[in-house]
Amino acid sequence: MRSLLTCLVTVCVAAACVRGDRYHPADPGSRAAATVVNRAETSANYWAQEAQAAIKARLEHKESVKKARNVVMFLGDGMSVPTLAAARTLLGQRRGETGEEAKMNFEKFPTVGLAKTYCVNAQVPDSACTATAYLCGVKTNSGVIGLNAEVVRGDCEASTDASRHVKSIAEWALDDGRDVGIVTTTRVTHASPAGVFAKVANRSWEFDHSVVLAGFDPDRCPDIAYQLVHKHPGNKFKVILGGGRRNFVPDNVLDDEERYGRRTDNRHLINEWNKDKEDRGVSHKYVWNREQLMSLKEDLPEYILGLLHRTHMRYHMQSNPTRDPTLAEMTEIAIRSLSRNEKGFFLFVEGGRIDHGHHDNFAELALDETLEMDKAVARAAELLSEDDSLIVVTADHAHVMAFNGYSRRGHDILGPSRDLDEDGVPYMTLSYTNGPGFRAHVDGKRPNVTAESNYRDLEWQAHVDVPLDSETHGGDDVAVFARGPHHSMFTGLYEQSQLPHLMAYAACIGPGRHACSGATHVLGQPVLLLALFILLTSQSQERYI
Ligand SMILES: *[C@@H]1O[C@H](CO)[C@@H](O)[C@H](O)[C@H]1NC(C)=O
Ligand SMILES: *[C@@H]1O[C@H](CO)[C@@H](O)[C@H](O)[C@H]1NC(C)=O
Ligand SMILES: [Zn+2]
């Protein structure tokens, strides 16, 4: 009885009193009469037809059960589920629509699953242990790449034991005679792409001097850039595209953009990469800007190394379009190059700066980077057949951006909620639990951030509750989208470390069970034995069947 009474209270918000229950004010955003936004949606038939069309498409869709010759994995670093909802809304709103109903390209894929992202020693993970999970199929400790959880971050000595090294799906692909490429908007030595090739106890060891600074010998524990150029499997990659040039150049040598490198071992790893390919007598090309990269399209060399920025590549919204290629452009070059191998390929593509946008409380940049990755997915989906190419799109971990308030349909996703706080002060629809952007309260009230002079600039930071230099990752699950052979294997809720096993299953590579060899398992079953019997006898005894 009491709960019933407390349920039906009158909620007063900033002078406007509306009737509702204590948890759900009747229409908190309401300062004007409700208006219909999309007229067609008022009809029940509209929604029934929408659903029926989806059922029809699902029934007509034929899942390929062929071997996945090619596998492309797209990784949206930090692309949490709220990021997907916000990005698709922004996509629609940029087209002048309400937005919520829009779909990114990969959101149209036939299968969606959820992956659990915790690591062996972490409730909320980082990009290193998660990369080891979704590329090597093994969960490990935070900060550790390509090594099992017997190694903790920073333990150089433990990492030298080869029994602790784990292989990535790239190695499984190479073992099968397929080609491998990596494409990222971050430094190519950053944690996510490093998961494709590196075995390193500390993700910070991107160049030799960082190993020295930690008190270790880079000969014993080689840095990530060195491993990419000189060690298996990095030295066999046909395509390497991204940022991070400084980690390949000595600190007393100027790079292509007249900036010094960071290495203290006097190694010029770009020259060494060239030399290695010359020694092997294979065609190869190093490029450092968009123009050079795009010129390769006409006559693709066998090996491409593109280090397109000194550190991470610029955010797409802050890039120089003549100097910086888009993720879609890099993805296309990689696919065209790798497609020359008849046996197929594994390509890793990372939208790496979604994560950085979130960490800095730059929601618009994080969402735009998500949409840029979606364009790269669309390009890959155009270039590769659903029949023989598996495309998987996922994230490594979540972030703490909330999509909150009670705004009405079509409300500007990047603006303040139509709701106000208890003091009548606005708050942002997309806001972070923690991170940079804390503002002290004034007279016991939150300040009005929408009145700030740089409000809504690309690098304007919304209010946060917990002040931190960098917003944190989230511990929630991430979505997995799949298209192509055996895509339905990716449905359900599972450990993130299952992902490479599932991809390898579809591609028939690696140590586990395979879709192709699955035939030997099923053959033992009576129905299939009968079918085989019928097949074998059908030619001679046709009339009896
Ligand atoms: C990882 O390496 C960086 C760079 O050398 C160092 O500052 C940091 O302390 C190391 N982390 C651990 C846990 O050893
Ligand atoms: C907050 O600032 C905006 C923009 O200046 C203004 O329109 C609005 O009235 C302010 N709200 C409050 C409660 O101060
Ligand atoms: Zn991060």
Side-chain angles (χ1 to χ4, degrees):
M1 191 63 192
R2 211 178 97 206
S3 64
L4 194 73
L5 285 176
T6 51
C7 261
L8 294 165
V9 291
T10 297
V11 184
C12 291
V13 189
C17 294
V18 282
R19 191 166 280 283
D21 72 52
R22 156 162 189 256
Y23 303 109
H24 309 102
D27 188 2
S30 158
R31 300 292 180 276
T35 47
V36 169
V37 196
N38 294 333
R39 178 60 58 188
E41 292 179 11
T42 59
S43 136
N45 205 25
Y46 171 86
W47 297 105
Q49 276 177 9
E50 194 271 345
Q52 292 304 316
I55 292 170
K56 184 164 179 279
R58 190 160 278 256
L59 291 173
E60 284 171 0
H61 172 80
K62 288 272 178 295
E63 180 173 7
S64 166
V65 291
K66 281 196 189 158
K67 164 165 98 175
R69 195 155 63 93
N70 309 312
V71 178
V72 187
M73 178 178 219
F74 283 90
L75 196 280
D77 197 314
M79 189 175 68
S80 59
V81 171
T83 304
L84 298 173
R88 83 172 74 104
T89 307
L90 179 62
L91 174 70
Q93 293 187 349
R94 282 179 171 176
R95 297 193 294 234
E97 301 156 6
T98 40
E100 299 83 356
E101 66 293 335
K103 272 188 179 183
M104 290 188 279
N105 291 288
F106 60 81
E107 292 183 319
K108 298 172 190 160
F109 282 8
T111 290
V112 187
L114 282 176
K116 294 157 72 179
T117 63
Y118 69 90
C119 287
V120 171
N121 67 348
Q123 188 170 59
V124 176
D126 83 320
S127 293
C129 61
T130 52
T132 308
Y134 65 72
L135 288 161
C136 306
V138 172
K139 290 210 182 200
T140 188
N141 295 319
S142 240
V144 172
I145 299 168
L147 305 165
N148 72 16
E150 285 172 19
V151 182
V152 294
R153 183 172 188 169
D155 192 344
C156 164
E157 210 42 51
S159 74
T160 59
D161 181 344
S163 74
R164 293 171 176 146
H165 293 199
V166 291
K167 284 189 171 187
S168 78
I169 185 172
E171 292 169 77
W172 302 340
L174 288 170
D175 287 347
D176 191 55
R178 303 191 204 194
D179 279 326
V180 172
I182 56 171
V183 174
T184 179
T185 50
T186 67
R187 298 189 291 267
V188 296
T189 49
H190 209 239
S192 315
V196 190
F197 59 90
K199 322 288 171 203
V200 68
N202 185 342
R203 58 177 285 179
S204 307
W205 298 344
E206 293 184 58
F207 60 107
D208 67 307
H209 195 59
S210 63
V211 182
V212 175
L213 281 178
F216 299 107
D217 177 1
D219 285 338
R220 196 134 177 83
C221 291
D223 62 273
I224 298 172
Y226 179 89
Q227 291 191 35
L228 179 56
V229 172
H230 288 296
K231 295 221 159 202
H232 177 81
N235 62 356
K236 305 189 183 61
F237 292 177
K238 292 274 166 84
V239 179
I240 300 168
L241 294 174
R245 198 188 307 123
R246 68 184 189 191
N247 294 332
F248 294 77
V249 177
D251 65 355
N252 55 0
V253 174
L254 290 171
D255 73 1
D256 308 281
E257 291 180 289
E258 307 288 312
R259 302 283 298 270
Y260 287 107
R262 288 193 128 190
R263 302 193 67 84
T264 54
D265 58 3
N266 277 317
R267 285 182 173 278
H268 195 301
L269 290 176
I270 299 168
N271 294 347
E272 293 182 15
W273 181 86
N274 278 320
K275 171 96 178 27
D276 175 58
K277 306 308 170 217
E278 269 152 38
D279 290 349
R280 289 201 245 158
V282 290
S283 66
H284 58 281
K285 191 88 190 161
Y286 163 72
V287 297
W288 65 272
N289 62 41
R290 179 179 182 276
E291 198 190 342
Q292 292 178 341
L293 179 70
M294 299 316 270
S295 75
L296 298 184
K297 252 187 173 177
E298 308 313 317
D299 184 18
L300 284 164
E302 199 175 340
Y303 288 80
I304 304 170
L305 171 64
L307 297 176
L308 299 143
H309 202 273
R310 180 180 142 72
T311 175
H312 303 302
M313 292 180 66
R314 278 180 273 264
Y315 287 114
H316 166 249
M317 288 183 88
Q318 297 178 334
S319 70
N320 173 346
T322 60
R323 181 79 154 257
D324 307 320
T326 64
L327 189 59
E329 288 170 340
M330 295 196 287
T331 302
E332 173 162 355
I333 299 252
I335 290 175
R336 291 196 185 284
S337 171
L338 297 169
S339 295
R340 293 174 297 179
N341 185 334
E342 290 278 293
K343 292 191 111 180
F345 62 83
F346 173 75
L347 172 64
F348 178 75
V349 181
E350 185 196 24
R353 305 215 63 200
I354 301 166
D355 181 65
H356 299 165
H358 280 325
H359 279 304
D360 277 339
N361 189 346
F362 300 154
E364 185 169 4
L365 289 174
L367 301 190
D368 184 69
E369 292 295 303
T370 305
L371 296 177
E372 281 303 296
M373 190 178 82
D374 185 50
K375 289 181 198 164
V377 175
R379 193 72 59 89
E382 277 162 29
L383 293 169
L384 297 169
S385 157
E386 207 168 334
D387 202 39
D388 69 355
S389 300
L390 175 66
I391 302 179
V392 176
V393 182
T394 188
D396 47 358
H397 55 71
H399 268 277
V400 297
M401 183 193 78
F403 185 160
N404 75 148
Y406 286 112
S407 289
R408 294 251 211 84
R409 182 68 183 281
H411 194 74
D412 180 2
I413 185 68
L414 297 168
S417 170
R418 282 195 51 158
D419 195 9
L420 299 169
D421 77 7
E422 287 184 350
D423 300 310
V425 181
Y427 64 93
M428 301 303 289
T429 295
L430 301 180
S431 52
Y432 295 87
T433 311
N434 64 39
F438 178 80
R439 282 113 168 137
H441 290 192
V442 181
D443 299 330
K445 293 183 184 177
R446 298 173 50 252
N448 181 358
V449 297
T450 70
E452 293 172 0
S453 62
N454 64 340
Y455 170 63
R456 294 287 302 267
D457 281 358
L458 262 189
E459 299 198 351
W460 175 77
Q461 295 169 323
H463 48 80
V464 303
D465 193 29
V466 177
L468 284 179
D469 180 44
S470 175
E471 175 261 11
T472 72
H473 295 172
D476 22 331
D477 304 334
V478 292
V480 181
F481 300 85
R483 180 201 93 149
H486 307 285
H487 62 73
S488 59
M489 292 296 284
F490 292 82
T491 194
L493 169 68
Y494 42 84
E495 300 295 350
Q496 184 169 49
S497 45
Q498 289 184 21
L499 285 170
H501 299 281
L502 294 171
M503 292 187 280
Y505 170 84
C508 304
I509 55 173
R513 187 168 170 152
H514 295 161
C516 328
S517 65
T520 48
H521 289 276
V522 229
L523 263 188
Q525 290 169 12
V527 175
L528 274 148
L529 272 183
L530 180 67
L532 186 69
F533 175 75
I534 291 169
L535 192 77
L536 289 173
T537 53
S538 61
Q539 268 167 331
S540 49
Q541 306 186 12
E542 222 163 5
R543 65 203 150 158
Y544 298 114
I545 296 167

